[in-house]
C-alpha cells in the first residue's frame, strides 16, 4: 500500500515570489535614469561584482564603491541606498497564500534565496517576513548561491526534512530543476492563481 504524500515544509524564494526583485535589471535602469549614470558601464561593473555581494563576501557599501562610487557623484550614498530599498514591493496575495497554508497545514517555511545581506535584512523587516518564515537560507548568510545544489542540501538539513516532504517555489525554472534533481518537489511560480493551483495538486488546498 502506498502511503499518501505528506508535505511538511515549504522552501520559498523571495524576489519574484513574495516580493519584487530586490535589485534587478529594471531597478538598475531606473537608477541610471534617476541618478544620471552610464547604464552600460555600471551594469558591467554590477555583473562583475554582484555575485560576491550576494555570497556575503562584500558589504553593500563595498559593492557600491565598485559599481557607483568609484568616482565622485553629485548625490549621496544614502540617497542611492534609499532608492535601492524603495524598489522592493510586496505581492500581498502570495504572502497571504503562504501564511494561510502554513496555518492550515502546520507547515514550516524556509526562504532559499540569492540576496545580499543589507537588502535581505531590509526586506525581512520592512515586510515582516519573519512573522511567518521560520528560517532564512539566504546566500549572504550561508555563502552558497543558487543554483549550487549545496544551498538546497543545507536547507534540508536545517529543516530536518526529507526531499519528498518539501515543496520549493521559485520563479526561475533552472533553480526549480536543480532542487528537483535532489528529489524536492518544485513549483515554477508565474502568478498567484497558477501557484495556488499547483499547491492544490500537492494536496494543499485552502478551505474557505
Amino acid at each position: 500500500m502506498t502511503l499518501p504524500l505528506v508535505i511538511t515544509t515549504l522552501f520559498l524564494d523571495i524576489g519574484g515570489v513574495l516580493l519584487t526583485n530586490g535589485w534587478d535589471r529594471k531597478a538598475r535602469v531606473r537608477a541610471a535614469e534617476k541618478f544620471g549614470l552610464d547604464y552600460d558601464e555600471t551594469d558591467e561593473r554590477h555583473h562583475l561584482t554582484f555575485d560576491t555581494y550576494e555570497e556575503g563576501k562584500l558589504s553593500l557599501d563595498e559593492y557600491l564603491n565598485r559599481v557607483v562610487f568609484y568616482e565622485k557623484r553629485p548625490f549621496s550614498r544614502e540617497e542611492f541606498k534609499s532608492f535601492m530599498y524603495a524598489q522592493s514591493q510586496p505581492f500581498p496575495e502570495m504572502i497571504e497564500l503562504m501564511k494561510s497554508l502554513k496555518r492550515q497545514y502546520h507547515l514550516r517555511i524556509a526562504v532559499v534565496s540569492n540576496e545580499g545581506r543589507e537588502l535581505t535584512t531590509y526586506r525581512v523587516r520592512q515586510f515582516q517576513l519573519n512573522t511567518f518564515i521560520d528560517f532564512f537560507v539566504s546566500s549572504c548568510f550561508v555563502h552558497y548561491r543558487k543554483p549550487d545544489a549545496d544551498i538546497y542540501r543545507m536547507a534540508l538539513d536545517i529543516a530536518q526534512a526529507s526531499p519528498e516532504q518539501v515543496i520549493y517555489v521559485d520563479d526561475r525554472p533552472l533553480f526549480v530543476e536543480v532542487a528537483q534533481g535532489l528529489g524536492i518537489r518544485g513549483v515554477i511560480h508565474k502568478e498567484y492563481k497558477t501557484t495556488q493551483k499547483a499547491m492544490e495538486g500537492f494536496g494543499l488546498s485552502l478551505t474557505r
Side-chain angles (χ1 to χ4, degrees):
M1 178 179 176
T2 302
L3 295 175
L5 172 67
V6 178
I7 298 297
T8 65
T9 308
L10 302 181
F11 289 173
L12 307 177
D13 191 21
I14 295 180
V17 176
L18 300 176
L19 311 177
T20 57
N21 289 321
W23 190 235
D24 62 7
R25 181 182 178 280
K26 291 179 181 178
R28 298 195 307 277
V29 168
R30 290 192 292 269
E33 292 171 350
K34 177 176 175 60
F35 293 100
L37 300 173
D38 181 324
Y39 174 76
D40 290 336
E41 183 176 349
T42 56
D43 191 56
E44 181 181 5
R45 285 175 170 265
H46 164 85
H47 284 293
L48 289 173
T49 200
F50 195 63
D51 289 3
T52 310
Y53 172 58
E54 285 195 329
E55 288 173 355
K57 297 176 182 178
L58 286 178
S59 69
L60 180 57
D61 280 329
E62 289 170 323
Y63 163 78
L64 290 176
N65 284 345
R66 296 182 181 189
V67 176
V68 179
F69 294 100
Y70 55 89
E71 61 183 50
K72 189 173 179 58
R73 300 295 186 184
F75 51 86
S76 72
R77 185 181 301 269
E78 290 310 311
E79 284 178 288
F80 197 87
K81 287 198 284 191
S82 293
F83 177 87
M84 290 182 75
Y85 294 143
Q87 304 313 298
S88 294
Q89 297 297 322
F91 296 133
E93 277 191 323
M94 284 299 298
I95 290 173
E96 188 53 41
L97 173 63
M98 298 308 164
K99 286 182 177 180
S100 297
L101 291 174
K102 179 184 176 74
R103 285 193 300 266
Q104 185 170 327
Y105 293 97
H106 308 289
L107 301 171
R108 285 170 296 178
I109 298 183
V111 153
V112 183
S113 68
N114 289 346
E115 290 198 345
R117 179 175 291 270
E118 292 86 349
L119 285 171
T120 296
T121 300
Y122 169 81
R123 284 149 70 83
V124 169
R125 293 176 179 172
Q126 178 69 15
F127 302 105
Q128 300 182 328
L129 300 183
N130 56 352
T131 61
F132 67 98
I133 292 169
D134 297 294
F135 59 94
F136 294 79
V137 184
S138 296
S139 58
C140 59
F141 303 149
V142 303
H143 310 305
Y144 293 110
R145 293 179 75 255
K146 299 181 294 186
D148 189 330
D150 279 347
I151 196 170
Y152 304 105
R153 294 189 181 103
M154 181 176 289
L156 289 169
D157 286 343
I158 294 170
Q160 284 298 287
S162 58
E164 64 271 13
Q165 294 175 306
V166 179
I167 299 173
Y168 172 48
V169 184
D170 199 309
D171 63 322
R172 302 287 181 91
L174 174 61
F175 295 165
V176 172
E177 290 163 13
V178 172
Q180 287 174 324
L182 300 175
I184 296 170
R185 299 166 192 277
V187 173
I188 300 171
H189 174 69
K190 296 179 180 177
E191 60 177 7
Y192 169 82
K193 289 183 179 179
T194 57
T195 294
Q196 183 186 31
K197 188 75 173 176
M199 298 305 244
E200 290 173 356
F202 289 114
L204 301 180
S205 300
L206 292 178
T207 55
R208 300 298 179 185

